[in-house]
Amino acid sequence: MLNFNPMKNGSIAIDWRTLLRDLAILVIGIMLSLTMNECRQNAKAGKDEDRIMRQLIEDIKVDTLKLHEMIGELRELQSMYDPLTSPAGDTLPTYQRYGLASSVLYISFQPSRTAMYELSYSNRSGDIERRDLVAQATALYENDYRMVTEVAEKIADFVLEVHIPFLTDELFYSPDTTFDPEEMQALEAFIYSSSFQQRTYWLEVLWMNQEQTAREALDKARELLHELEKAY
């Protein structure tokens, strides 16, 4: 409160000491309020960063498991189809060769994006102190994961639009595992035909390409996961 002392001539004298004290209290109060608000905002941002980055760790853990399983399944597919394009297939029983020729698979890949959606679409990446890790995660998803996904989609397109229609048109249906001589002759002619061999070889090449891209993505995902777990 300002103190005004009336003077004898009717003018008013200002108590400058009291004025300066009140101003100092006001400024200090404002600064304390701003500091406390900044501390609250920093604490909230810190909690949000910890939550988001821990979610990113969980997402990448799931992705590494998916990629590891994908690599194993792709190896099994290649091993399963090898007899159809190698001399070893001659020793397989006819019904096994028929089963291999009439079946075809593809393996899709969809990465977990819970944390990346929050970082990207909620514009939270600017709140993260370890922006270097966010940049690595972005590169992993936008480059390596994207490549795995695109290769898997190309294989699915080839299987659904090319290979399966070809099998439907060219390969006869057998309700059991027994074949008469004419069916065996027709099956062998189909399996050793250049059209079937070329399509099967191309399918194996696609699987090998998918395995390679999955392995590269898995290595980078594991490396990033290690860095994230050290930081959070």
Side-chain angles (χ1 to χ4, degrees), residues 118-120 122-129 131 134:
E118 186 164 3
L119 287 170
S120 302
S122 300
N123 196 27
R124 302 300 300 275
S125 58
D127 300 331
I128 305 300
E129 183 177 355
R131 296 185 184 181
V134 175

Side-chain angles (χ1 to χ4, degrees), residues 155-168:
I155 295 176
D157 290 341
F158 176 78
V159 169
L160 296 175
E161 298 178 9
V162 178
H163 200 65
I164 289 180
F166 168 73
L167 294 178
T168 302

Side-chain angles (χ1 to χ4, degrees), residues 51 55 63 75 116 162 189:
R51 175 183 57 80
Q55 179 62 57
D63 293 337
R75 285 180 174 179
M116 292 304 296
V162 178

Side-chain angles (χ1 to χ4, degrees), residues 45 103 105 184-185 188 229:
S103 63
L105 300 171
M184 290 181 63
Q185 185 177 3
E188 291 177 354
E229 289 179 332

Side-chain angles (χ1 to χ4, degrees), residues 60-72:
I60 296 179
K61 283 183 178 179
V62 172
D63 293 337
T64 56
L65 180 60
K66 290 179 181 177
L67 290 168
H68 179 74
E69 291 177 347
M70 172 186 286
I71 291 170

Side-chain angles (χ1 to χ4, degrees), residues 87-106:
D90 295 339
T91 63
L92 289 178
T94 304
Y95 72 88
Q96 288 188 10
R97 284 188 286 172
Y98 174 83
L100 291 176
S102 60
S103 63
V104 64
L105 300 171
Y106 61 89

